[in-house]
Amino acid sequence: MNLKQLLIFCLLVPFAVQAAAQDRIEQNEQLIKIEDWQEGIEYRKVEPRVLQVNRSRLLQFPEFDRSDYFREQEQETAESSPPSLSKEVLQRLAHIYRVHLLSMEAQINDDPAAAEEYITDGLMGLQNLMDDHPEVRDSRQFAELYRTVMTEYQEFYGISESIINVEGEIFEVHEDLMRMEEEDWFDTHAFILPENLEMGKTQVPLIRNEQVNNHIAYLTVRRPEIMERWLERSARYFPMMREIFREEGVPEELVHLAMIESGLVPTARSHARAVGMWQFIYATGSVYGLEVNWWIDERRDPVKATRAAARHLRDLHQYWDGDWHLALANYNVSTRRMLSSVRRAGGVRNYWEIYPYLPRETRGYVPGFIAATLIAMNPEDFGFESAYDADPYEYDVAEVNGSVDLGLLAECAGISTQELRNMNPELLRWATPPGDEPYPLKIPKGSKERFMEAYKEIPEDKRMNDLAIHTVKRGETLGVIANRYGTTVRALYQANEGLSSVIHPGQDIVIPVPGGSDVAIRSEEPSRAQTARTAASSAASQQASASNRPANSEAVTYVVKSGDTVGHIAEWFDTQAWRIRSWNNISNLIRPGQRLTIYVPSNLQQQYAKLNDMSRAERDSFSASDAATQVADGSDGEYRTYTVRPNDNLSNIARSFNTTVQEIQNLNNLSSTRIYSGQTLRIPN
């Protein structure tokens, strides 16, 4: 048995055995309905331009559209046994293992470009599996496969440190508070709150109970230095944040939530890869328009992130029928976990009733917010200064064309490079991002005239072009070099004619610099924000995005029923949750009575429309292809042709023409699921 056979045997046989056992259970006990496994797994791809020069957007996994995966994994308790995986899920896990093996073989064969593609396919396969089957995230098998694929990714790109780098003292505070619950360190019954606390007129109820007193004691007795730092930072950021919350129609006292989220640190980063002052994960941030690419991360911008947080909180408040405590808890944990806690509490939608059933971190979230708010509103009563001196977060904006070194720009502004970085925490690299549109650089207030005069004197040769030159150092590989510059191995091959997989120290390699954003970067609004993003938008906001409409499809309107989730609806309509969110400009939050537009194959429109009138049991067992009594062919001969459009993929095309991915691949001699806009495909009749 050779090495390849041994690897396949060790990695795949356990899945094959379990799949067979699962099949027997389902046949004998008829407990679980098995959907027919269709050949070929869809992998969501980014635009070819991005694949060539901007690996950072592609490799956001598992942040990209992952619905709080890590945060929930950390908060899971041993309250329920791991879910039993269906045959379909096991087969998809096995397929990803096979892709992983192919990436290893490609490296053995000195083909790093192919290895990179297989690694990318594995990452996207895991992401799609989470989209289609959210319950798989609770599976140990999925966690082990994720660890395997990510380890290979790190090895390939030479990433020795942990990908998940924690930044900010707030996470130490969170751990300390959770330990405090177990230690019983302080007699809260003997803790007496100052009398006549100024409560003010708040829309969020500031309830005082044992849990809140615990947090007040922690922030004033055990760790007062933490609260003092938060108060100092609040003097800088709260004026700006209150103004934004007023504009968005959100209670101003909610600005104190940023203390509990990040300690008011714009660059805070959690184990869950939530980033910024408001701790957005990639998926939630993208829903509210926050741009993230190799050059910038708008989750780190205090103004843009605060506006996105205000809109997110407003949506959560509406979802929970005006209950701010539930809305705040939902900001910390997924809607799925919240609904599960509500069910376990007997269906009562009250934070303090579901409190025992929430993850441990979320149990302390609302009490922590109330405690921080009470202290910040009455600082002298708790032994702090009445006010702290700090320069307010104010700035001028100067437009910078092209990619310019931050050191040069700092000189133009008359400040240090670090000071310029502090004013622009969204910038991730050494320079402003390239692009057709100018970048809005924040500079000290009152310095714009001086800055622009100096900026005009910067020579053109100091502005970065589309290429850079890298001199190979000892121990470097093409993967390591690609990771350093945020590009791909394939892009290195494209930019360097005759480049070999074996490189040597001293060799010069041309580096294609990653492109900037495809939208104009704004100074005070999330750059991808749309006026139709939130629940408070006009009715026009609920119209589906026609630009993402699949080929040969028609729209069906589905009215949300009680108990529905985006994931359930995606299963019934044989699509994916992220597509429904994209078509309707929504997050994962939906409400009974809400109307969603969903695109389905044209020849099955009538069958899918019947879902509106079905019971929950009928929807769960529904199959549009089985219900169709006749499928129009529309063409003569053995095949027809189809020209691929932007955003198409083989899975959608196959569904549109009532065929399978495998049949299309066979007819077109395709070895993978990759297709490109403008490509002509043969479609079997």
Side-chain angles (χ1 to χ4, degrees):
M1 182 180 291
N2 59 30
L3 175 60
K4 174 182 175 182
Q5 292 170 326
L6 179 61
L7 285 170
I8 294 174
F9 179 83
C10 293
L11 291 173
L12 299 184
V13 166
F15 278 93
V17 171
Q18 183 163 351
Q22 184 71 20
D23 195 17
R24 288 196 299 273
I25 292 173
E26 292 168 347
Q27 289 174 357
N28 294 336
E29 301 182 15
Q30 298 182 353
L31 295 177
I32 302 174
K33 177 184 176 183
I34 302 177
E35 299 291 338
D36 291 334
W37 176 250
Q38 295 185 353
E39 293 292 333
I41 296 177
E42 174 193 356
Y43 292 102
R44 206 155 68 246
K45 295 297 179 186
V46 294
E47 291 296 325
R49 179 186 65 80
V50 180
L51 275 172
Q52 292 175 359
V53 297
N54 191 351
R55 184 171 53 83
S56 64
R57 179 175 296 284
L58 175 65
L59 294 180
Q60 288 294 339
F61 182 87
E63 282 188 338
F64 180 74
D65 205 18
R66 63 193 173 94
S67 304
D68 281 345
Y69 171 62
F70 276 110
R71 183 174 285 188
E72 288 188 23
Q73 285 291 94
E74 292 175 356
Q75 295 171 345
E76 284 289 350
T77 61
E79 296 164 348
S80 59
S81 59
S84 177
L85 300 180
S86 69
K87 180 180 178 180
E88 177 194 352
V89 171
L90 289 170
Q91 287 178 312
R92 291 177 70 168
L93 289 173
H95 179 90
I96 297 169
Y97 264 117
R98 285 192 289 270
V99 171
H100 169 65
L101 286 173
L102 290 172
S103 73
M104 296 177 66
E105 289 182 9
Q107 293 177 74
I108 293 172
N109 296 328
D110 293 327
D111 190 353
E116 181 177 62
E117 291 181 1
Y118 288 127
I119 291 172
T120 299
D121 279 354
L123 294 176
M124 293 298 100
L126 289 173
Q127 178 63 68
N128 285 338
L129 187 56
M130 284 194 293
D131 284 345
D132 297 342
H133 298 276
E135 71 280 0
V136 79
R137 295 175 294 177
D138 300 328
S139 163
R140 179 179 175 183
Q141 289 166 298
F142 176 85
E144 292 297 334
L145 176 56
Y146 160 76
R147 185 177 293 109
T148 299
V149 174
M150 284 302 294
T151 297
E152 188 61 33
Y153 159 67
Q154 289 180 269
E155 288 293 325
F156 182 80
Y157 288 111
I159 303 173
S160 57
E161 72 278 4
S162 171
I163 294 178
I164 306 174
N165 296 317
V166 176
E167 182 177 344
E169 85 258 339
I170 187 63
F171 308 109
E172 176 191 347
V173 172
H174 289 169
E175 293 176 2
D176 205 11
L177 283 167
M178 286 189 286
R179 285 194 300 268
M180 185 182 73
E181 289 184 13
E182 301 172 355
E183 295 174 1
D184 193 24
W185 69 279
F186 192 78
D187 183 4
T188 55
H189 295 288
F191 180 68
I192 301 175
L193 283 172
E195 296 181 359
N196 301 319
L197 286 177
E198 174 60 39
M199 303 295 289
K201 293 182 178 180
T202 63
Q203 296 182 47
V204 181
L206 300 181
I207 295 173
R208 286 178 288 178
N209 54 26
E210 182 178 350
Q211 289 82 11
V212 173
N213 286 352
N214 248 326
H215 284 77
I216 291 177
Y218 177 85
L219 293 171
T220 58
V221 178
R222 183 163 177 164
R223 297 295 300 274
E225 75 282 3
I226 293 293
M227 189 69 211
E228 187 159 43
R229 282 202 290 270
W230 294 357
L231 291 170
E232 290 171 351
R233 294 168 188 160
S234 71
R236 175 168 172 76
Y237 293 113
F238 274 8
M240 170 270 294
M241 294 166 69
R242 286 196 174 97
E243 181 179 354
I244 290 175
F245 274 40
R246 282 194 298 269
E247 293 172 358
E248 296 294 337
V250 177
E252 291 182 38
E253 61 267 25
L254 287 177
V255 299
H256 298 95
L257 187 64
M259 290 178 164
I260 304 303
E261 278 291 332
S262 66
L264 292 170
V265 176
T267 58
R269 182 182 181 89
S270 75
H271 287 287
R273 302 179 90 182
V275 172
M277 189 177 289
W278 289 98
Q279 288 294 281
F280 278 104
I281 60 169
Y282 180 89
T284 308
S286 65
V287 168
Y288 291 93
L290 294 172
E291 170 75 348
V292 178
N293 59 45
W294 194 73
W295 291 96
I296 68 170
D297 187 342
E298 290 187 337
R299 296 175 296 175
R300 293 160 50 113
D301 183 272
V303 175
K304 300 175 191 179
T306 296
R307 194 166 295 279
R311 294 169 179 173
H312 186 31
L313 286 165
R314 189 176 64 201
D315 285 354
L316 292 170
H317 181 246
Q318 183 173 352
Y319 179 81
W320 291 103
D321 300 323
D323 189 314
W324 275 117
H325 289 167
L326 290 174
L328 291 173
N330 199 170
Y331 192 97
N332 179 254
V333 73
S334 73
T335 304
R336 180 174 66 91
R337 287 305 303 274
M338 286 289 294
L339 292 173
S340 174
S341 300
V342 168
R343 285 193 298 270
R344 296 180 63 203
V348 180
R349 291 196 167 202
N350 179 283
Y351 175 80
W352 303 104
E353 292 292 332
I354 71 172
Y355 178 89
Y357 305 103
L358 290 167
R360 189 168 58 162
E361 179 181 327
T362 308
R363 286 200 298 267
Y365 192 71
V366 173
F369 160 75
I370 295 175
T373 303
L374 287 173
I375 297 171
M377 292 174 65
N378 304 272
E380 289 182 289
D381 292 323
F382 290 98
F384 300 103
E385 296 180 20
S386 60
Y388 290 85
D389 293 329
D391 294 330
Y393 189 66
E394 298 177 336
Y395 49 83
D396 286 336
V397 175
E399 293 187 341
V400 175
N401 292 299
S403 190
V404 183
D405 187 276
L406 295 184
L408 291 175
L409 296 175
E411 291 179 10
C412 294
I415 56 177
S416 68
T417 303
Q418 188 57 52
E419 287 174 316
L420 186 64
R421 284 185 175 277
N422 291 343
M423 296 198 71
N424 298 269
E426 72 177 14
L427 291 174
L428 303 177
R429 307 300 167 189
W430 63 91
T432 53
D436 296 333
E437 300 292 334
Y439 176 77
L441 185 73
K442 296 180 176 68
I443 57 177
K445 195 168 184 64
S447 67
K448 186 172 182 178
E449 183 176 351
R450 167 188 169 171
F451 175 88
M452 294 308 298
E453 289 179 359
Y455 172 71
K456 293 175 183 177
E457 300 301 320
I458 297 178
E460 284 298 321
D461 61 4
K462 295 294 185 180
R463 302 170 191 263
M464 187 183 303
N465 56 24
D466 294 335
L467 298 174
I469 302 296
H470 175 80
T471 302
V472 178
K473 299 180 178 61
R474 177 180 293 275
E476 288 184 330
T477 65
L478 291 179
V480 170
I481 295 170
N483 178 67
R484 176 177 177 181
Y485 290 94
T487 187
T488 64
V489 171
R490 180 165 298 281
L492 295 181
Y493 278 116
Q494 292 172 344
N496 295 267
E497 185 176 356
L499 180 64
S500 168
S501 61
V502 179
I503 56 177
H504 54 81
Q507 179 179 352
D508 287 337
I509 295 179
V510 176
I511 308 296
V513 176
S517 176
D518 57 358
V519 298
I521 301 302
R522 304 182 187 182
S523 61
E524 298 185 348
E525 276 272 345
S527 295
R528 292 188 180 273
Q530 301 176 11
T531 57
R533 264 303 194 205
T534 66
S537 301
S538 65
S541 70
Q542 301 305 319
Q543 297 297 321
S545 173
S547 62
N548 292 328
R549 176 176 177 170
N552 301 299
S553 66
E554 295 293 338
V556 169
T557 299
Y558 177 76
V559 180
V560 177
K561 315 296 190 298
S562 178
D564 286 355
T565 67
V566 175
H568 289 138
I569 298 170
E571 291 179 10
W572 300 329
F573 282 90
D574 299 313
T575 186
Q576 289 147 328
W578 70 271
R579 294 189 184 280
I580 295 177
R581 293 193 296 267
S582 175
W583 292 333
N584 294 273
N585 287 324
I586 60 172
S587 66
N588 280 322
L589 301 175
I590 54 177
R591 295 165 297 283
Q594 185 174 351
R595 301 171 70 86
L596 300 178
T597 298
I598 301 171
Y599 289 104
V600 301
S602 301
N603 58 339
L604 297 176
Q605 182 185 22
Q606 293 181 355
Q607 283 70 40
Y608 281 109
K610 296 175 183 177
L611 281 165
N612 267 310
D613 301 320
M614 293 182 182
S615 66
R616 175 59 184 265
E618 290 172 330
R619 293 197 297 274
D620 286 340
S621 60
F622 172 77
S623 171
S625 57
D626 291 344
T629 57
Q630 181 178 3
V631 177
D633 206 304
S635 178
D636 296 326
E638 296 182 357
Y639 64 86
R640 72 196 80 181
T641 59
Y642 174 74
T643 302
V644 178
R645 302 174 186 175
N647 301 315
D648 275 352
N649 58 57
L650 284 184
S651 180
N652 271 352
I653 295 172
R655 286 201 310 118
S656 299
F657 288 100
N658 196 34
T659 185
T660 67
V661 171
Q662 188 64 55
E663 288 178 333
I664 296 177
Q665 287 179 305
N666 292 341
L667 190 57
N668 293 273
N669 295 319
L670 298 176
S671 59
S672 73
T673 58
R674 291 183 183 84
I675 56 176
Y676 55 87
S677 180
Q679 181 178 0
T680 300
L681 296 177
R682 294 178 177 181
I683 309 295
N685 284 327

